[in-house]
Amino acid sequence: MPNKTKEDINYYNSPEYAQKIAETMQKAEEIKAKKAKDAAKKKKLIKQEKTRLSNIFTSERCGEENKHFVESLIDRASWLRIEIEFIEEDLRREGLMDFFVQGTQTMWREHPLSKMHVQHSRSYRETIKQLEAYGKTDSGSSGSDDNPLTELVQRGNRAREKYRQ
């Protein structure tokens, strides 16, 4: 590491540097507060989603022998769905493109959350497919229009269409 020059030392002792440090600390506190608020909200929404999915994928529908697997898939699907919704909210607010500055270079890039959104969406679809496989019934009711799983897929399709606009 090169030796610090007199100008560097003066900058680190300057009021401008102190102001930047104070702004950074304030921003960090705001982010921590938002994360804590979001965590509480997420926890509540995950619990609601878990209850909703548990009502769809009951032991009678999926079989008592598959209960452990179904519960773990419901936990995963609930968490993924709520995370996807929060990511979508951030992407709507911030946009799909991110202005990136590194040193002297500035450029536009795909927002890092968009990659996470794609990964989580893919995982969510796979998890729902696995749940659907456990929830298949042998009776001829698979073509029913009041199937809660069909409604769930349709809501997901509507959300994707809304996101694309």
Side-chain angles (χ1 to χ4, degrees):
M1 182 173 201
N3 293 336
K4 291 185 180 180
T5 65
K6 191 173 186 179
E7 291 171 357
D8 291 337
I9 293 170
N10 287 338
Y11 174 73
Y12 292 123
N13 293 327
S14 70
E16 295 88 20
Y17 182 73
Q19 177 67 27
K20 283 188 178 188
I21 293 293
E23 289 171 3
T24 302
M25 296 302 285
Q26 181 181 359
K27 179 111 175 155
E29 289 300 319
E30 290 171 4
I31 290 171
K32 283 181 185 177
K34 183 184 182 303
K35 282 182 128 183
K37 182 180 173 185
D38 284 352
K41 187 176 176 183
K42 282 180 185 180
K43 188 174 183 179
K44 178 183 173 190
L45 291 171
I46 289 170
K47 185 176 180 182
Q48 289 174 350
E49 180 67 9
K50 185 176 178 181
T51 301
R52 190 179 73 79
L53 288 174
S54 294
N55 290 336
I56 295 171
F57 298 102
T58 60
S59 295
E60 295 82 33
R61 181 175 179 183
C62 300
E64 193 63 38
E65 67 279 358
N66 299 324
K67 184 178 179 180
H68 175 73
F69 299 113
V70 171
E71 286 176 358
S72 66
L73 288 170
I74 286 173
D75 288 342
R76 180 170 175 77
S78 301
W79 181 83
L80 283 167
R81 177 153 185 241
I82 300 308
E83 283 297 319
I84 290 168
E85 288 178 3
F86 273 77
I87 290 170
E88 287 174 355
E89 184 180 307
D90 287 345
L91 286 172
R92 277 189 208 100
R93 187 176 52 250
E94 298 172 17
L96 291 174
M97 298 301 288
D98 184 35
F99 190 68
F100 179 66
V101 178
Q102 183 173 1
T104 59
Q105 295 180 341
T106 57
M107 63 191 91
W108 286 96
R109 67 175 180 180
E110 179 183 14
H111 199 291
L113 284 177
S114 64
K115 291 179 183 179
M116 192 180 302
H117 181 271
V118 169
Q119 292 170 345
H120 282 4
S121 296
R122 191 172 293 138
S123 294
Y124 180 71
R125 277 192 307 272
E126 290 171 6
T127 304
I128 291 297
K129 283 180 184 178
Q130 288 174 335
L131 273 170
E132 186 181 41
Y134 279 116
K136 291 220 186 271
T137 56
D138 292 334
S139 63
S141 64
S142 61
S144 175
D145 289 336
D146 60 345
N147 184 349
L149 188 59
T150 304
E151 192 268 332
L152 175 68
V153 171
Q154 289 172 348
R155 280 181 55 193
N157 289 338
R158 286 192 302 269
R160 277 192 291 283
E161 289 302 318
K162 188 170 150 184
Y163 175 70
R164 288 180 185 150
Q165 293 174 355

